[in-house]
Amino acid sequence: MVVGDGSMSEERGVSIRASTRTAVVAWCLWLATVGFCAGGLVVTLVVTRPLTAGVLVQGAAFAVAFPLGYATVGLVLGLRRPSNPIGWLFATSGLIWALTIPVDPWLEQLLLGHRPLPLVAELAAVFGEFNWAPAIAYGITLPALLVPDGRLRSRRWRPVVAAAAVGPVMGLVANSLLPGQLQETEVPIANPFGLDGAPGKVAAAVALTGLVLWLVSMLAALVCLVLRFRASRGTERQQLRWVAAGATGAVAGLVVGIAGVVVTYFAVLCLPVGVAVAVLRYRLWDLDRLVSRTVTYAAVTALLVVPYLLILPAATRLAGGSGSLAVAAATLAAAALFQPVRRRVQGLVDRRFNRRRYDAARTVDGFALRLRDQVDLDVLHGELLAVVDQTMQPTQASLWLRPPAPQKAAGG
């Protein structure tokens, strides 16, 4: 029995350590993406001139829709379904979208000023030109092959997975070596790494191969979804309907928002959100929590960043030559207000989007207040079971209190 108990304890310890490592990796991927986006905002505030509301809105919309949107959905799935690779694919896609964000504003100002580009700026220009291919492959094509349970329909789809994973990377590397113009930059420039002659021809052939693999794998993923839906029954069919709804919303948003870039950006989020709901299998508490956190941080950002951006120019003018001191003071004030504002906004949002959590917190707080003055064990027993039933809703609950140890008689 002792050996068995030790083995069970060891297995439990291994499981806890694995779960902890998974959580750490998920949070690190998300924080890295957030860090790149935050770096982009800081660089934009420092170097972009003229700094207009349109520039900030478009940059924020891109960050929320692509890097932060995919990374946040990947975080939720990575924590809730760590064995399902779809969450990790979304997180990887978000990170790929975010890699050049801190450099882009600086690169744009260099190009507008017709100044020479350092090596870092050249690398960012080339990567930003072609990073959409791997980002789409890891954020759309591969999840479509694996939705909703994270497994392929059969081994015959493995070549499609290989094409979707390798093709975009081949295209990214080969296109980076092709001579020609880079069109995604603010001012079109010649590819600084373009090769002429035979190497350029080899790069062109590899780039074409990568593009074909990327396109064919995307079409095959669409066929896989259709076949999986036709063969699905019961819960899986309901899950795939969420995926179809997300894809429909994305396409409709792209068509409607073709004249407005901001609408187009947010339409792209329909697909990963639909996949997330399908993978979580209607666990609405998870979805409510995602909505709750998203609304909270969006509201906090609006309450702190927007006044910060409006007040900062005036504070800089008033400070005269101490513009950097005004920037530092405004930044420290916004940072100091973040947690108090977040707690207040979180409480207001939970009342609307996450009512179960809000009610549970109120129940526990009320029980803690009554516990201070409660000395009757029978009453305490009943109240504790009632609180557990209201907050956690178990199928069965019981409370066992260890009897007090017998006291030795005096002089015994």
Side-chain angles (χ1 to χ4, degrees):
M1 291 294 294
V2 174
V3 175
D5 291 342
S7 177
M8 291 178 62
S9 300
E10 183 178 352
E11 291 178 0
R12 189 180 300 110
V14 171
S15 176
I16 293 174
R17 287 194 295 272
S19 177
T20 303
R21 285 195 298 268
T22 299
V24 169
V25 172
W27 279 107
C28 285
L29 286 172
W30 186 80
L31 289 174
T33 305
V34 172
F36 281 116
C37 294
L41 174 61
V42 172
V43 174
T44 299
L45 294 174
V46 172
V47 306
T48 301
R49 296 295 181 272
L51 183 61
T52 63
V55 171
L56 295 174
V57 169
Q58 184 167 344
F62 176 84
V64 171
F66 289 94
L68 294 179
Y70 276 80
T72 301
V73 175
L75 173 66
V76 174
L77 294 181
L79 296 176
R80 298 292 174 184
R81 298 289 187 274
S83 60
N84 193 321
I86 294 177
W88 305 109
L89 290 170
F90 280 151
T92 302
S93 176
L95 185 59
I96 292 173
W97 283 117
L99 287 176
T100 63
I101 287 181
V103 187
D104 286 342
W106 173 54
L107 171 63
E108 181 179 322
Q109 294 301 307
L110 290 176
L111 292 175
L112 291 175
H114 302 287
R115 286 176 283 177
L117 300 182
L119 178 60
V120 174
E122 292 178 343
L123 290 171
V126 173
F127 185 79
E129 183 84 9
F130 306 109
N131 68 333
W132 54 268
I136 291 175
Y138 289 102
I140 295 178
T141 305
L142 288 172
L145 289 167
L146 299 172
V147 74
D149 56 5
R151 293 191 293 269
L152 294 173
R153 294 191 71 236
S154 67
R155 293 184 177 181
R156 291 179 296 178
W157 291 92
R158 289 182 178 179
V160 179
V161 172
V166 176
V169 179
M170 290 174 53
L172 172 64
V173 175
N175 278 295
S176 300
L177 302 177
L178 279 180
Q181 294 284 317
L182 301 180
Q183 301 295 330
E184 293 295 324
T185 54
E186 186 69 20
V187 178
I189 59 172
N191 186 354
F193 304 105
L195 302 176
D196 296 320
K201 294 180 180 179
V202 173
V206 175
L208 180 60
T209 303
L211 177 62
V212 171
L213 291 176
W214 176 82
L215 183 59
V216 169
S217 63
M218 180 175 290
L219 295 176
L222 178 60
V223 173
C224 179
L225 265 179
V226 173
L227 294 177
R228 195 187 286 268
F229 182 80
R230 291 181 60 183
S232 64
R233 297 292 183 272
T235 300
E236 187 180 27
R237 177 168 285 255
Q238 297 300 321
Q239 290 175 291
L240 292 175
R241 283 178 178 172
W242 275 99
V243 179
T248 303
V251 173
L254 291 173
V255 173
V256 172
I258 196 167
V261 177
V262 174
V263 178
T264 301
Y265 285 164
F266 287 105
V268 178
L269 278 179
C270 293
L271 183 58
V273 170
V275 172
V277 176
V279 171
L280 294 173
R281 293 185 60 172
Y282 319 117
R283 294 191 59 183
L284 294 180
W285 181 80
D286 289 330
L287 186 60
D288 288 347
R289 188 167 186 173
L290 174 62
V291 173
S292 170
R293 293 297 185 269
T294 302
V295 173
T296 296
Y297 283 97
V300 172
T301 301
L303 289 173
L304 293 180
V305 175
V306 173
Y308 172 84
L309 296 176
L310 294 176
I311 295 173
L312 184 60
T316 304
R317 286 195 297 270
L318 291 176
S322 304
S324 58
L325 181 61
V327 173
T331 304
L332 290 175
L337 290 172
F338 180 82
Q339 285 298 340
V341 173
R342 187 197 65 80
R343 284 193 293 266
R344 180 65 60 88
V345 172
Q346 186 69 68
L348 295 174
V349 171
D350 280 342
R351 297 181 191 179
R352 176 63 181 88
F353 292 102
N354 202 2
R355 188 72 191 188
R356 179 179 174 183
R357 178 181 182 272
Y358 175 74
D359 292 340
R362 291 189 61 186
T363 301
V364 172
D365 291 342
F367 174 72
L369 291 175
R370 295 193 301 273
L371 186 62
R372 297 175 184 175
D373 303 322
Q374 186 60 257
V375 294
D376 190 333
L377 289 181
D378 292 333
V379 176
L380 176 63
H381 177 279
E383 287 202 11
L384 181 57
L385 290 179
V387 169
V388 171
D389 181 67
Q390 292 178 32
T391 56
M392 304 184 68
Q393 297 181 355
T395 56
Q396 184 179 357
S398 60
L399 175 65
W400 177 80
L401 297 175
R402 186 175 63 180
Q407 299 181 353
K408 294 183 180 181

